[in-house]
């Protein structure tokens, strides 16, 4: 229903795997439009490569990503990721993504500032791995339809999806992107647009 209504989402926006990873870190607590501005600053300076990004100071990085908000914290997170990439995989994103899903997920979660949603976004959208991403939109939509409780834990919700939908990275990619589209445009916090929503029949039983 969502696919029919919104069409393919072509997620995640980004020309390279590193750009997607940086985007996943920068999008925490901010609108995507702000992330785009921050990424553009990095691109203009030719910094979207692990080595060049590792070489600039955290202070300079923070200045460049300022539009994304919480820029000092996020610069620290990006630097933490780059340090991890360098130490564990010799700075190679290709090598990193050759690691098995569960091992890499645990390693990413051990990087300070990378939580479950960010780790799964990196794994799915930059790595093409079978990691289902749960976000605030997922929680809102599926709790409004009674599939999950409002306060359900990330792992619980993820497990529910993994149990009920085919285990395909391509599907996970499109599914999450469609959920975001629905959450942004229709299933808003206040005054959801149920009358025009493709999921309204599901709601009414
Ligand atoms: S029918 Fe209403 S509650 Fe359900 S997803 Fe659509 S907007 Fe949200």
């Amino acid at each position: 229903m969502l696919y029919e209504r919104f069409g393919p989402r072509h997620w995640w926006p980004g020309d390279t795997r590193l750009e997607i990873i940086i985007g996943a870190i920068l999008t925490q607590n901010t609108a995507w439009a702000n992330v785009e501005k921050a990424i553009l600053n990095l691109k203009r300076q030719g910094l979207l490569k692990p080595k060049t990004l590792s070489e600039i100071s955290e202070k300079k990085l923070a200045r460049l990503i300022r539009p994304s908000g919480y820029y000092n914290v996020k610069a620290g997170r990006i630097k933490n990721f780059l340090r991890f990439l360098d130490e564990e995989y010799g700075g190679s994103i290709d090598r990193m993504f050759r690691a098995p899903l569960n091992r890499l997920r645990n390693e990413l979660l051990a990087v300070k500032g990378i939580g479950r949603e960010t780790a799964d976004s990196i794994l799915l959208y930059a790595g093409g791995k079978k990691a289902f991403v749960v976000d605030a939109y997922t929680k809102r939509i599926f709790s409004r339809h009674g599939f999950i409780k409002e306060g359900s834990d990330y792992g619980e919700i993820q497990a529910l999806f993994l149990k009920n939908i085919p285990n395909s990275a391509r599907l996970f990619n499109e599914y999450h992107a469609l959920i975001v589209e629905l959450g942004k445009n229709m299933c808003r916090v206040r005054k959801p647009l149920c009358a025009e929503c493709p999921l309204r029949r599901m709601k009414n039983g």
Side-chain angles (χ1 to χ4, degrees):
M1 284 181 272
L2 294 178
Y3 189 85
E4 279 162 27
R5 175 67 173 262
F6 300 125
R9 301 284 84 217
H10 307 294
W11 263 37
W12 177 301
D15 296 333
T16 64
R17 292 169 148 202
L18 181 65
E19 188 179 329
I20 294 172
I21 294 168
I22 300 297
I25 295 173
L26 293 180
T27 199
Q28 297 166 354
N29 304 308
T30 196
W32 183 252
N34 300 328
V35 176
E36 281 179 329
K37 287 180 201 153
I39 287 183
L40 194 61
N41 286 345
L42 296 174
K43 267 189 179 166
R44 279 193 183 129
Q45 303 252 340
L47 289 170
L48 273 179
K49 292 175 200 104
K51 193 165 181 297
T52 39
L53 207 51
S54 300
E55 280 165 1
I56 63 163
S57 69
E58 194 169 315
K59 211 167 151 195
K60 181 173 178 187
L61 177 59
R63 193 159 32 83
L64 289 165
I65 62 165
R66 195 184 178 108
S68 72
Y70 305 99
Y71 47 92
N72 286 322
V73 175
K74 289 177 181 176
R77 289 176 182 169
I78 291 172
K79 285 288 183 183
N80 291 341
F81 168 75
L82 292 167
R83 218 169 291 122
F84 153 75
L85 182 68
D86 192 41
E87 286 166 8
E88 300 300 323
Y89 295 100
S92 165
I93 291 178
D94 286 346
R95 261 185 69 195
M96 179 181 82
F97 282 126
R98 281 202 288 273
L101 171 63
N102 287 337
R103 188 182 104 195
L104 183 54
R105 186 172 195 265
N106 288 332
E107 289 176 349
L108 287 172
L109 290 174
V111 175
K112 199 161 173 242
I114 296 193
R116 289 179 287 188
E117 184 185 333
T118 307
D120 287 333
S121 299
I122 291 172
L123 289 163
L124 177 63
Y125 289 107
K129 293 194 175 275
K130 294 174 190 173
F132 190 85
V133 180
V134 174
D135 68 350
Y137 294 128
T138 319
K139 290 180 187 168
R140 190 191 308 151
I141 294 164
F142 288 85
S143 64
R144 281 179 172 169
H145 285 264
F147 291 108
I148 55 173
K149 290 194 206 97
E150 236 180 288
S152 295
D153 168 68
Y154 187 103
E156 234 177 278
I157 301 170
Q158 190 180 52
L160 182 79
F161 279 95
L162 293 180
K163 201 173 142 204
N164 288 290
I165 64 175
N167 191 24
S168 147
R170 214 168 138 217
L171 178 76
F172 291 0
N173 176 321
E174 199 61 59
Y175 204 126
H176 176 66
L178 288 166
I179 285 173
V180 172
E181 191 67 22
L182 180 71
K184 266 198 315 200
N185 297 314
M186 293 188 173
C187 201
R188 307 184 301 209
V189 177
R190 285 203 246 149
K191 299 191 183 157
L193 305 175
C194 298
E196 339 168 357
C197 178
L199 298 193
R200 67 189 178 281
R201 271 168 294 162
M202 233 166 86
K203 194 161 190 266
N204 299 332

